[in-house]
Amino acid sequence: MRYLPKSPADRAQMLREIGCKSIDDLFAPIPAEYRLTRDLKVPRQMAESEIIDYFHARADNAAAGYALFLGAGAYHHYRPVVIDAMVSRGEFLTSYTPYQAEIAQGTLQAIFEFQTMICELTGMEVANASMYDGSTGAAEAMLMAVRITGRKAAVVARSVHPEYREVMHTYTQHQGLPITECDYLENGRVDMADLQKKITSDTACVLIQSPNFFGTIEDVAAVADLVHKKGALLVVSIAEALSLGIVKPPVEADIVSMETQSFGVPLGYGGPYAGVMATKEKFVRQIPGRLVGETKDKDGKRGFVLTLSTREQHIRREKATSNICTNQALIATMATIYLTIYGREGLKELAAQNLAKATYARNEFAKKGKVLFDGSPRFNEFVVQTKDDPHAINKRLLEKKMIGGFPLSWHYPELGNASLWCCTELNSKEQIDAAVQAVGQ
Amino acid sequence: MSNKDIKKATHHVNQNEGLIFERSSPGKKGYRLAPLDVPEVDYAKALGSSARADLGNMPEVSEMEIIRHFTRLSTWNYAIDLGMYPLGSCTMKYNARVNEYVARFPGLANAHPYQPAEVSQGAMRVMKTLSDCLLDITGMDAITLQPAAGAHGEMTGILLMHAYLQSRGNPRKKILIPDSAHGTNPATAAICGYAVENLKSNSRGMVDVSALAAQMNEDVAGLMLTNPNTLGIFEQEIHKIAEILHQKGGLLYMDGANMNALVGKTRPGDFGVDVMHLNLHKTFSTPHGGGGPGSGPVACKKILEPFLPKPVIVEKADGTLAFDYDRPKSVGRVRMFYGNFGMHVRALAYTLANGPDGLRQTTEDAVLNANYIRKKLEGDYTLPYQSPSMHEVVFSDSIQEQKGVKTGDIAKRLIDYGFHPYTVSFPLVVHGAIMIEPTESESLEELDLLVDAMKSIAREAEEDPEFVRNAPHTTRVKRLDETAAARKPILRWKPASAKSAGD
């Protein structure tokens, strides 16, 4: 086996020195009746060239090169080649969680930069080192709000990503934490009157998404006002992080939970991505996950360490703020590099391009069908209602190497034949025109 | 003392580098966008009061500076690619480059999770084939790849137990957890609504079976057990443990963190485990990446299958694959989409590179390496438990502590010798624990270098304890003030003109 750096003679010598006749002696602690005496049923050992052929065969019957109009929580953006060049360095790729700070300053400083950038982007005061993804981060934000307020209920907008809501339900099902849902208006935004009714004195937090699942940008300030008047916290979940290039950050929120996939992370059939949680400084001791802090060594030199670990499971065990241990550090590093490449001006220009593409597409679709949720601002997604079933339309598009919008009927039956379309900087005018024409046929 | 005994490493120059924000100045660019082919939109007008004013202190730097910045940072990290990383419980094995290569094939890396099944068969087939491999490796009946990491898998597994027991009328109140367990275990039980009851280990470092029998009753949902446990010791009475739990209607959860000791040699499903998680970023060689991403598949027996997170992959009559969402008994989703798919690709590539013979040899070498280190260091360091070691060995600092040198000091000194430290002060059942897991990836030469280094440090602790206590001596930063970091946390950079955090 080519990964194993020992010759048969090495093994024989080591067994001799240990005082064993054969390797079986070392497995004697396993009761004989449970020892496996056959080969595992896994494919036979392959050469590197065979492994590459195998995965080419898996990758080739896929949609590489198709025009993609899907968003819905996973966004297709250009990834500068610098990102993979940097995260492929073994020093980032093959290092462990930076518990030994003296020989992990590279990872620690990169995460400190990540935390800083997330604060700048979201308008929050502190950010953690990452969560698994946006959905689990949103669930953890809810649990954090419960710890802060001591209240035991939550209200979630129906315009939050349906899969995020499912994850929140899974996380809270044994916490005695009832979740009620709040409706949306015809302009796509949270129904404030319904929200007003749903918040009670037990409500720990209200969780909204902005831009929400329909692509509509919420009036965060107005929602925050209402939520805070009732003594609850506002959690804002962001699935399309690139929106922050031109959309006002949700500074009125108490906790922001964001998916950073848009920042240079491959779509990768749904993962790995990286979530991140950001909040006000006063809540820092209730935040889950790792935090990197600045300090000095004994010569006074600046350095970085994992800090406030008394919140975490390896110290607090069952009283920890979360059970999270391994997070998504390398993905956070990808995001950091991406944000460094585009930076202060590029994120704005790029976000503006996304807005321009989606606006053009939306206007073209409006000529052929009905675009829902007018009357409020949006970023790079919009909802189109058609005569035909979107599934049938998508089949037609697929034959033309186009992947159409996400059909909404399953999660939002009240919207009928509606689907959620996304246009990014990677969708050309030509692609958009072709899609509009195919849908209108 | 001096550093003349250090064979593995030599001091070399490395570059200083500030924070990226300190390099930034207005007008520098590291990007260029393609020209817009649709009409421009004035975003301030389009978004109105939702428009952003500016992006504050986000950096502005050129591409050359970006490359230098992150390359310089990278050189300050220790990594498996530089040498042995003997962190006990973490299984820091070689991360093959072919895994990275195939995971970046556009058909896999650019696949959208909601793209139609017609163009996702390859991705689903990767998940299905990996699932089949993991099922035979664990001896289980059903599996989900959805959990994103080990602790996430633990949560999924305990939710399955809860749902199963609930379906039989009573989810019960408590989970038993041995005193040697990972901190994630009790934290997980708490999230799933269970109280944690501590289970003591016996003088051999194993579960005290009579104590278990006494503690087991109809209030106990199950036991979370790591096997081999965190002392690197195989629970030899595992079948009795399972029997005691099952007789009272409880379930056995296995934390698969130490599966690297078992693959191809024995199967948890055969020795009575009902549900377990695997750490693909440990046993199956997906890279740790400085703390993730991981992947924590959960495998279980048939009785728990109806409760698995949705969706599950099913093979249809025509041989195509699909996601089945119609799972009325499911505990729900634990994550959006289907899990850390990129890690599934890498873990399958690892499995294919090994085959059945390679996987078995891997396990044998991992156990051989740990026992070699045990044999060579016994005497220089105290071995608190005499029970045989599997893939890792736990010593204590009790000899060195007499001179005031603790496990953390020895670990820091090991850095000067060119190694990453072992796991310090864990498991908690050993005072001053020195937990070494070499993995199969180390040659005899590298093992001998570690043995030499540990022996040399033991001598230094005897002759010049102060020198060891002040280690490391060769790193770019000395020991960092963690107390100050926690007392007045500085968690982000701010420009000099702004007030600093906490003011």
Side-chain angles (χ1 to χ4, degrees), chain A residues 173-174, chain B residues 159-172 194 307:
Chain A
Q173 60 187 300
H174 303 307
Chain B
L159 288 176
L160 294 182
M161 285 171 55
H162 194 291
Y164 167 77
L165 292 168
Q166 178 98 62
S167 76
R168 295 169 60 94
N170 178 9
R172 305 191 174 192
Y194 283 115
F307 308 101

Side-chain angles (χ1 to χ4, degrees), chain B residues 109-379:
Chain B
N110 297 342
H112 191 285
Y114 289 144
Q115 70 186 23
E118 294 95 309
V119 286
S120 306
Q121 289 299 308
M124 284 195 239
R125 184 59 64 185
V126 167
M127 295 175 71
K128 179 72 170 67
T129 306
L130 177 65
S131 296
D132 290 344
C133 290
L134 297 179
L135 286 176
D136 195 57
I137 287 166
T138 55
M140 293 291 184
D141 302 319
I143 192 165
T144 174
L145 303 182
Q146 206 176 80
H152 205 209
E154 290 174 25
M155 185 189 89
T156 307
I158 300 301
L159 288 176
L160 294 182
M161 285 171 55
H162 194 291
Y164 167 77
L165 292 168
Q166 178 98 62
S167 76
R168 295 169 60 94
N170 178 9
R172 305 191 174 192
K173 297 191 180 94
K174 290 186 289 194
I175 298 274
L176 301 179
I177 296 178
D179 44 14
S180 59
H182 298 114
T184 49
N185 292 176
T188 297
I191 283 183
C192 299
Y194 283 115
V196 172
E197 190 168 299
N198 196 36
L199 182 62
K200 276 208 177 334
S201 45
N202 64 22
S203 60
R204 295 160 67 209
M206 300 179 207
V207 167
D208 186 329
V209 174
S210 53
L212 172 66
Q215 276 172 269
M216 184 62 203
N217 57 45
E218 267 78 24
D219 274 346
V220 175
L223 167 67
M224 288 181 91
L225 187 70
T226 308
N227 191 25
N229 63 29
T230 58
L231 293 162
I233 298 169
F234 190 87
E235 296 284 354
Q236 294 184 26
E237 295 182 294
I238 186 71
H239 50 298
K240 282 193 204 154
I241 292 170
E243 213 175 278
I244 291 167
L245 290 161
H246 292 155
Q247 269 173 2
K248 295 264 169 77
L251 296 171
L252 177 56
Y253 183 93
M254 188 176 117
D255 179 328
N258 292 340
M259 196 63 197
N260 213 41
L262 307 183
V263 175
K265 304 296 285 186
T266 183
R267 308 193 312 161
D270 294 342
F271 58 65
V273 171
D274 299 296
V275 51
M276 66 178 293
H277 78 265
L278 293 160
N279 299 79
L280 299 187
H281 50 294
K282 295 180 181 179
T283 318
F284 294 88
S285 95
T286 73
H288 274 73
S295 178
V298 170
C300 64
K301 290 282 173 64
K302 220 176 201 77
I303 51 165
L304 296 171
E305 194 264 348
F307 308 101
L308 284 174
K310 61 183 173 182
V312 296
I313 287 196
V314 289
E315 190 147 11
K316 297 202 283 197
D318 63 358
T320 58
L321 297 169
F323 287 114
D324 179 10
Y325 289 85
D326 186 18
R327 309 272 304 170
K329 290 184 176 171
S330 167
V331 296
R333 276 184 173 282
V334 296
R335 187 197 180 284
M336 63 178 173
F337 309 133
Y338 326 112
N340 282 344
F341 172 74
M343 302 298 119
H344 307 159
V345 176
R346 289 167 174 87
L348 180 58
Y350 168 85
T351 306
L352 297 180
N354 275 283
D357 46 341
L359 289 175
R360 185 170 48 231
Q361 183 73 64
T362 292
T363 304
E364 291 176 355
D365 280 7
V367 172
L368 180 64
N369 283 357
N371 278 280
Y372 183 77
I373 287 170
R374 171 177 165 147
K375 180 76 182 179
K376 293 281 178 170
L377 291 182
E378 201 177 349

Side-chain angles (χ1 to χ4, degrees), chain A residues 68-86:
Chain A
L68 183 64
F69 294 97
L70 279 171
Y75 299 92
H76 188 208
H77 294 297
Y78 178 70
R79 302 182 63 236
V81 295
V82 167
I83 297 171
D84 276 356
M86 291 294 98

